[in-house]
Amino acid sequence: MPEVIVEKVHKSFGALEVLKGVSLSVGRGEVFALIGRSGSGKSTLLRCMNGLEKINSGHVEIAGHTLGGDAKALRSLRTDVGIVFQSYNLFPHLTVGENIMLAPRIVKGIAKAETQKIAREVLQLVGLLEKFDSYPDQLSGGQQQRVAIARSLAMRPKVMLFDEVTSALDPELTEEVLTVMETLARDGMTMILVTHEMAFARRVATKTIFMHKGTIWEEGPSKELFANPQTQELRQFVKSDVK
Ligand SMILES: Nc1ncnc2c1ncn2[C@@H]1O[C@H](COP(=O)(O)OP(=O)(O)OP(=O)(O)O)[C@@H](O)[C@H]1O
Ligand SMILES: [Mg+2]
């Protein structure tokens, strides 16, 4: 049973059809990379997967939840599906530890001592245990992004969605965030990531999907897809690495 099933998803904003019948299926522990030009629908697809955008038609099953239920069902889905964006949005007035402990306490009602334990564990995972009592503005961009990932992991998600989490970082800080994501992948997390890091997609993603004009234009095992693009559009994209 796949962990993520997307079937014939259509999504429009007004008259603009952004997703034109997208289907994909991700097995447990698989890592999918979504690549494609700006405006091709990558973020929209990701946002549809955890109910941040409402789909017009089609079907989404993710981490054992079916999209389209009531608010309670959606909240439950979101505890199992973590999403991390380019902007980390940590609360500036809370310490790193407090930022991470917040959702497990409020959403899951976990006791404070236990959330502290969880926070330490996920901070350890992203290599930032020593920053537990620091405030976000005392951290580099890469460290803040790793805290944002840790915050998401504290909910014990079954699936993680990443939308260009390294786009705002310089190369050095990008590397440390990619390393964290690679560790997660190796530990068996099911992940879908929108990325401009082609080398990372090729190395870490089991499968890469090239989106173009709201459709899956080309897809395949990452190494094959990059080595041997079948369409002019993907050849062009890979060659120029256009954003
Ligand atoms: N909330 C919205 N309202 C109206 N149009 C939107 C909305 N969100 C996205 N769009 C439009 O949908 C299209 C796809 O946007 P999307 O953000 O999914 O692209 P993307 O592939 O993630 O691009 P990028 O690489 O620049 O992040 C774009 O034309 C965009 O302007
Ligand atoms: Mg985007």
Side-chain angles (χ1 to χ4, degrees):
M1 182 70 187
E3 194 77 293
V4 183
I5 301 170
V6 173
E7 261 171 24
K8 298 184 184 144
V9 164
H10 288 258
K11 171 68 187 172
S12 299
F13 294 106
L16 180 69
E17 192 177 31
V18 174
L19 297 178
K20 301 171 183 165
V22 172
S23 303
L24 58 89
S25 143
V26 187
R28 186 163 301 165
E30 279 196 288
V31 178
F32 275 35
L34 288 180
I35 62 170
R37 283 207 174 73
S38 181
S40 56
K42 306 178 299 291
S43 295
T44 304
L45 177 58
L46 217 60
R47 292 167 63 84
C48 284
M49 284 186 207
N50 82 334
L52 284 170
E53 299 287 356
K54 221 172 158 187
I55 62 179
N56 295 102
S57 65
H59 181 76
V60 176
E61 274 175 52
I62 186 161
H65 304 266
T66 300
L67 215 68
D70 56 12
K72 186 162 169 265
L74 193 56
R75 272 200 301 278
S76 162
L77 180 150
R78 289 205 185 125
T79 63
D80 285 335
V81 183
I83 188 162
V84 183
F85 303 99
Q86 181 179 330
S87 56
Y88 353 104
N89 299 320
L90 300 172
F91 289 112
H93 59 292
L94 298 180
T95 65
V96 162
E98 288 165 347
N99 264 283
I100 297 172
M101 289 157 62
L102 201 60
R105 276 191 82 176
I106 290 174
V107 180
K108 287 187 157 178
I110 298 175
K112 188 173 176 190
E114 177 64 19
T115 61
Q116 236 158 17
K117 229 175 87 190
I118 295 171
R120 287 188 192 287
E121 184 191 311
V122 293
L123 273 176
Q124 175 90 52
L125 209 84
V126 301
L128 289 174
L129 185 52
E130 78 280 6
K131 301 294 185 189
F132 193 96
D133 292 316
S134 301
Y135 285 89
D137 67 2
Q138 298 172 315
L139 271 52
S140 74
Q143 290 172 333
Q144 289 187 49
Q145 189 57 289
R146 282 147 69 197
V147 171
I149 294 172
R151 178 179 55 180
S152 205
L153 293 174
M155 295 296 278
R156 310 265 191 234
K158 295 182 178 136
V159 177
M160 284 290 290
L161 309 174
F162 296 94
D163 193 355
E164 299 198 29
V165 293
T166 61
S167 300
L169 306 172
D170 3 322
E172 196 185 324
L173 301 183
T174 293
E175 257 337 289
E176 63 183 48
V177 173
L178 292 180
T179 301
V180 165
M181 292 166 73
E182 195 165 356
T183 306
L184 281 182
R186 218 176 309 121
D187 288 350
M189 179 66 80
T190 307
M191 307 185 353
I192 304 175
L193 45 112
V194 176
T195 186
H196 287 143
E197 300 291 332
M198 296 304 142
F200 183 76
R202 187 166 24 201
R203 191 174 77 243
V204 177
T206 43
K207 191 169 173 180
T208 295
I209 289 179
F210 174 58
M211 298 226 9
H212 186 62
K213 296 183 173 167
T215 66
I216 293 181
W217 199 259
E218 205 174 321
E219 62 185 310
S222 304
K223 288 186 180 66
E224 284 174 33
L225 191 90
F226 284 109
N228 195 15
Q230 298 296 305
T231 62
Q232 182 57 37
E233 289 77 7
L234 180 56
R235 268 197 293 277
Q236 189 67 35
F237 181 79
V238 170
K239 200 168 71 192
S240 54
D241 222 271
V242 204
K243 302 282 143 88

